[in-house]
Amino acid sequence: TYGLTQWFPGISPAVLIVVALLVSTAFNVLLQLRFALAALVAIYHDVLITISFLSFLHIEFDLQILAALLTITGYSLYDTIVVFDRIRENMRRQRQEHFSAIVNASINQTLSRTVLTSGHTVLVLLALYLLGGKVLHGFAFALLIGMLSGAYSTVFIASPILVYWHRLTANLPAGALSFGMERSYRAP
């Protein structure tokens, strides 16, 4: 079988993952992908909070925990995309409004969906944790922490970062953060 350790012998997979995260974050900043940068920070947050809880409680990191972390990543990304899609829709409709007001209105419009979806998922995960047996405890616990973290990260982390990034780049001249890289597409 082929893996990253065969392509880069002598380098730990954890180091390769950290390098990949840093490179993807650098590309988001360089290409001015403000929506992607905010979503990426929210995903980092959700995974780090979950790993912190697992580490604090000395829960063994196995393939089930890895599957839970990947599920958390997908779930958090999907929730963030729903809110950001509403922000983009409202940006087209309400061109005269301030960006922070558009983000606030978009969060209010999608908040009931976020709360209901996360609430139902947490109820299922609680049942899985309590009734699933010892084999599923780590998996269900990791998902439970990740879902709770993901429920607030879209609203309280990704969206404020998006507003902050918009305010930061609104006062700069065009192309100031591009570091000499020319592009024909400008993100909305």
Side-chain angles (χ1 to χ4, degrees):
T1 61
Y2 291 101
L4 286 178
T5 55
Q6 290 178 340
W7 289 349
F8 303 101
I11 299 175
S12 168
V15 171
L16 293 174
I17 290 171
V18 169
V19 168
L21 291 174
L22 292 174
V23 167
S24 64
T25 303
F27 275 127
N28 284 324
V29 171
L30 288 173
L31 297 175
Q32 300 176 12
L33 302 173
R34 58 184 174 188
F35 284 92
L37 181 66
L40 195 61
V41 170
I43 291 170
Y44 289 167
H45 169 268
D46 297 340
V47 171
L48 286 176
I49 291 292
T50 305
I51 290 174
S52 299
F53 269 91
L54 295 173
S55 177
F56 181 72
L57 297 173
H58 303 290
I59 295 175
E60 182 182 353
F61 194 94
D62 56 5
L63 288 177
Q64 290 181 346
I65 300 298
L66 179 63
L69 291 176
L70 292 173
T71 304
I72 291 164
T73 300
Y75 192 90
S76 176
L77 182 62
Y78 179 72
D79 196 34
T80 305
I81 286 172
V82 167
V83 173
F84 284 1
D85 188 49
R86 183 58 59 99
I87 291 171
R88 285 188 176 139
E89 286 176 13
N90 288 340
M91 284 173 64
R92 286 187 210 111
R93 289 184 202 151
Q94 305 168 358
R95 293 189 182 268
Q96 306 304 328
E97 290 288 327
H98 290 285
F99 186 71
S100 58
I102 292 173
V103 171
N104 188 37
S106 301
I107 289 172
N108 286 335
Q109 291 169 4
T110 58
L111 190 60
S112 62
R113 179 241 171 243
T114 299
V115 169
L116 288 173
T117 304
S118 299
H120 286 113
T121 306
V122 165
L123 288 175
V124 170
L125 289 172
L126 277 173
L128 188 63
Y129 182 77
L130 297 173
L131 306 172
K134 187 167 177 66
V135 174
L136 294 177
H137 276 193
F139 177 74
F141 181 75
L143 275 176
L144 191 61
I145 296 301
M147 292 300 158
L148 292 173
S149 173
Y152 76 83
S153 70
T154 299
V155 175
F156 296 112
I157 293 175
S159 299
I161 287 173
L162 183 63
V163 171
Y164 175 75
W165 189 256
H166 180 77
R167 285 183 184 162
L168 178 72
T169 58
N171 297 329
L172 295 176
L177 290 178
S178 65
F179 300 101
M181 297 176 5
E182 297 296 326
R183 357 181 276 184
S184 60
Y185 171 76
R186 178 118 173 114

